[in-house]
Amino acid sequence: MIGTVLTWAVQRRLASIEHFRQHPHEVQEQLRRELLLTARGTDWGRRYGYPDAPSAREFAQRVPVSSYEELFPELERVMRGEADVLWPGRVEWFAKSSGTTNARSKYIPVTRAALHDGHYRAGRDMTALATLHYPEVGILAGKTLSLGGTHGPNPLRPDDASSRAGDVSAVIMQNLPAWAEFVRTPPLELALLEEWEEKIERIARHVLTQDVRVLAGVPTWMIVLLRRVLALAGTDSLHDVWPRLGLFLHGAVAFGPYRELFRQLIPSPRMHYLEVYNASEGYLALQDEPDSEDLLLLLDHGIYYEFLPQNQWDVSEPRAIGLAEVELGRTYALLISTNAGLWRYKIGDTVRFTSLAPYRIRISGRTKHFLNAFGEEVVVEHADAALAAACRATATTVRDYTAAPIYFTAHDGASRGGHQWLVEFTHPPADAARFTQVLDDTLRQLNSDYDAKRHRDLALTLPTLTVAPAGTFERWLAGRGKLGGQHKVPRLSNSRELLDEILLQLKK
């Protein structure tokens, strides 16, 4: 009976996906109107004239673009339990995300609408597409091994047992509908364990006997679990443990640097990979075509999109454009208005469009996580591609990395700088100089600004590679209480604060 219901749901979601592919602007405009109509009675809605049913142009003129810090006064009221502030009702669940300038962590509201019309709907979409493309895996007949984080009391309502905050994956797991829980492993009492080492050990032992067909999670942490599974099973291939394993649904970090490592762990042409773009703020996109790494923008999942061109990122009153105005190949910062009460919110991610019919994107980086200390404009997309090329050239794989500027003193009348890359490998490259050279060459091919600064070493010198001992980044995350879940190391920074902190840790 459950299988029949799930099969019907798959067909229904495929039809819905095709609808917003064919009618993107109509779907987004209808969604915008529904969001404003629903929130018209909130404090925010009344403040900005939502009862007047403003047009898209009026909405953009009335409602300010907000960062987390700018929206924090309202978000704090929501966390303290006030109702009808940004979204109708009282919000009980919050996704804990990486730090902000005014606090160590951000707390993003997760409403029932955001869960059911956003995260879970997108989960059904991914299941539908994976079933369509890989019917031989039999996704609905086996288990999906999902690895997530933990949740705890709302820090502003610590005595209120009904209000919780934690990693978005933990929030989702705790509230899963029956259809999703039916196909998931491990059980919640293991999946939500707080102590990371105990969690990995107990989950690994539990899933050894499960019919795992799908993996779902962050590559960084999934690798740790899979290695423990292999050790317990006494084998080199996961297909010896799970013969029907056929798909990894991955997200949160770029997969390029991890691809070869997963091929080593799962050496089979029957293994497939699909990417999802699921953030604390909502489920935004997914890979809908197996032969393309582009991500289909999800248009009927409770998120209304606007886009900031690069020249608008740092202006006091930025002008955003709508979906109909975006251009291929341009980099935009995402603005979202959501059914969790985030209004014209700067999520911090940047994307570029690879297709306009339908709308497909690639995540290019972060508005704050890029290297531009010398005008080189290196984004995470460039860094991941260059590292992948260097790994191929030197037969190695990267586990984790971060990079920051090196500031040099004047030399020969010119001030020159460089980049320091702190990289943790599965095994260090035999030829570190070759790795560095390919990294540099690839960055020059991908990025004309970087290439111009590297010309004759006039502004930038060859990158400096520092090999990090095994476990470096895991220990750094542990020291910040961020092991597991969707926590990840910031890739690029315009300051040396993070890099120097990790280097200092290595000296202790």
Side-chain angles (χ1 to χ4, degrees):
M1 176 64 182
I2 293 179
T4 301
V5 172
L6 290 175
T7 300
W8 172 81
V10 164
Q11 296 300 322
R12 183 180 179 186
R13 287 315 306 163
L14 289 175
S16 296
I17 292 169
E18 187 58 29
H19 177 70
F20 72 71
R21 276 175 175 159
Q22 297 295 327
H23 307 282
H25 305 132
E26 294 89 337
V27 168
Q28 273 282 279
E29 176 57 17
Q30 179 181 348
L31 174 62
R32 187 192 66 81
R33 291 175 179 173
E34 290 173 354
L35 290 174
L36 269 60
L37 179 64
T38 304
R40 69 189 184 279
T42 63
D43 288 355
W44 185 273
R46 289 192 296 269
R47 185 187 311 171
Y48 293 108
Y50 288 10
D52 301 338
S55 66
R57 181 185 296 274
E58 291 169 335
F59 173 68
Q61 291 172 341
R62 293 181 185 182
V63 182
V65 171
S66 297
S67 65
Y68 181 84
E69 292 80 5
E70 291 163 332
L71 199 59
F72 182 73
E74 281 73 25
L75 291 173
E76 185 178 27
R77 292 171 58 198
V78 174
M79 288 190 69
R80 292 191 183 281
E82 287 192 47
D84 305 325
V85 179
L86 293 164
W87 191 255
R90 190 180 186 210
V91 181
E92 304 294 359
W93 285 90
F94 298 86
K96 184 179 177 182
S97 188
S98 55
T100 174
T101 56
N102 68 337
R104 188 182 181 199
S105 298
K106 295 188 295 186
Y107 292 90
I108 306 299
V110 182
T111 62
R112 289 183 60 84
L115 281 172
H116 290 275
D117 298 337
H119 294 287
Y120 298 152
R121 179 176 293 177
R124 293 195 296 272
D125 289 348
M126 193 74 262
T127 300
L129 289 165
T131 300
L132 173 68
H133 294 311
Y134 309 118
E136 71 280 4
V137 176
I139 293 170
L140 300 177
K143 294 291 185 180
T144 294
L145 169 54
S146 52
L147 186 60
T150 61
H151 61 75
N154 174 346
L156 298 188
R157 280 189 272 162
D159 298 326
D160 184 350
S162 66
S163 185
R164 308 285 288 178
D167 187 274
V168 67
S169 60
V171 175
I172 291 171
M173 283 185 192
Q174 185 66 67
N175 294 279
L176 276 176
W179 70 266
E181 189 62 32
F182 175 75
V183 296
R184 196 193 62 77
T185 192
L188 281 180
E189 61 265 25
L190 299 184
L192 300 180
L193 282 172
E194 186 171 355
E195 205 283 313
W196 182 245
E197 286 77 12
E198 179 189 2
K199 172 186 283 194
I200 289 294
E201 183 67 22
R202 292 182 63 182
I203 289 177
R205 292 183 180 277
H206 177 83
V207 298
L208 275 173
T209 58
Q210 299 291 301
D211 179 15
V212 174
R213 304 194 182 193
V214 181
L215 307 174
V218 181
T220 317
W221 305 116
M222 187 61 70
I223 286 171
V224 176
L225 175 63
L226 297 183
R227 282 179 167 160
R228 185 56 187 152
V229 168
L230 288 173
L232 290 172
T235 181
D236 294 328
S237 173
L238 282 168
H239 272 127
D240 293 337
V241 183
W242 303 311
R244 298 181 180 87
L245 178 64
L247 180 63
F248 180 26
L249 302 176
H250 58 86
V253 299
F255 192 56
Y258 300 95
R259 190 177 300 277
E260 184 57 34
L261 184 55
F262 273 88
R263 285 174 178 164
Q264 294 171 13
L265 292 172
I266 316 171
S268 169
R270 295 185 287 113
M271 188 65 189
H272 308 288
Y273 301 87
L274 291 175
E275 183 176 359
V276 300
Y277 181 11
N278 187 16
S280 299
E281 295 83 357
Y283 210 130
L284 289 85
L286 47 76
Q287 185 180 344
D288 65 322
E289 294 291 345
D291 298 329
S292 170
E293 295 182 358
D294 302 338
L295 304 178
L296 180 70
L297 196 63
L298 299 177
L299 303 179
D300 68 345
H301 294 64
I303 300 175
Y304 174 71
Y305 297 95
E306 297 173 88
F307 305 89
L308 284 177
Q310 200 161 358
N311 62 5
Q312 298 293 305
W313 292 0
D314 298 317
V315 302
S316 58
E317 296 183 3
R319 179 189 176 276
I321 62 175
L323 190 63
E325 301 173 80
V326 299
E327 300 176 20
L328 288 175
R330 296 279 301 277
T331 298
Y332 300 98
L334 275 174
L335 284 187
I336 58 173
S337 296
T338 79
N339 53 8
L342 301 176
W343 299 106
R344 307 198 77 214
Y345 178 82
K346 292 189 289 188
I347 191 173
D349 290 344
T350 63
V351 301
R352 62 180 176 86
F353 281 85
T354 57
S355 168
L356 303 181
Y359 285 102
R360 292 195 178 98
I361 60 171
R362 290 199 183 186
I363 305 166
S364 55
R366 300 276 295 175
T367 53
K368 294 181 180 179
H369 292 176
F370 58 92
L371 264 172
N372 193 33
F374 311 99
E376 63 272 40
E377 297 284 359
V378 176
V379 296
V380 173
E381 185 180 28
H382 299 154
D384 288 335
L387 283 171
C391 284
R392 289 192 297 270
T394 57
T396 188
T397 51
V398 169
R399 288 198 63 186
D400 236 324
Y401 77 90
T402 192
I406 299 173
Y407 295 98
F408 287 89
T409 57
H411 177 72
D412 293 334
S415 180
R416 302 186 303 163
H419 296 161
Q420 182 176 8
W421 294 74
L422 181 65
V423 183
E424 182 179 331
F425 296 94
T426 54
H427 56 282
D431 189 344
R434 171 68 173 154
F435 183 95
T436 304
Q437 190 61 61
V438 175
L439 174 70
D440 182 58
D441 290 344
T442 308
L443 284 173
R444 296 186 70 166
Q445 293 168 12
L446 293 173
N447 186 320
S448 59
D449 291 315
Y450 179 85
D451 183 52
K453 302 302 184 295
R454 284 285 294 118
H455 181 64
R456 296 183 179 179
D457 291 352
L458 290 177
L460 285 175
T461 60
L462 188 72
T464 297
L465 174 66
T466 302
V467 177
T472 292
F473 291 101
E474 187 173 330
R475 286 190 292 273
W476 179 79
L477 286 167
R480 296 170 66 90
K482 292 187 174 183
L483 268 182
Q486 291 197 328
H487 298 303
K488 48 191 178 291
V489 177
R491 297 308 195 193
L492 306 175
S493 176
N494 277 326
S495 80
R496 290 189 57 85
E497 182 179 354
L498 167 64
L499 181 59
D500 286 340
E501 180 182 325
I502 299 176
L503 292 173
L504 180 62
Q505 170 188 283
L506 292 177
K507 294 180 181 179
K508 294 180 179 179

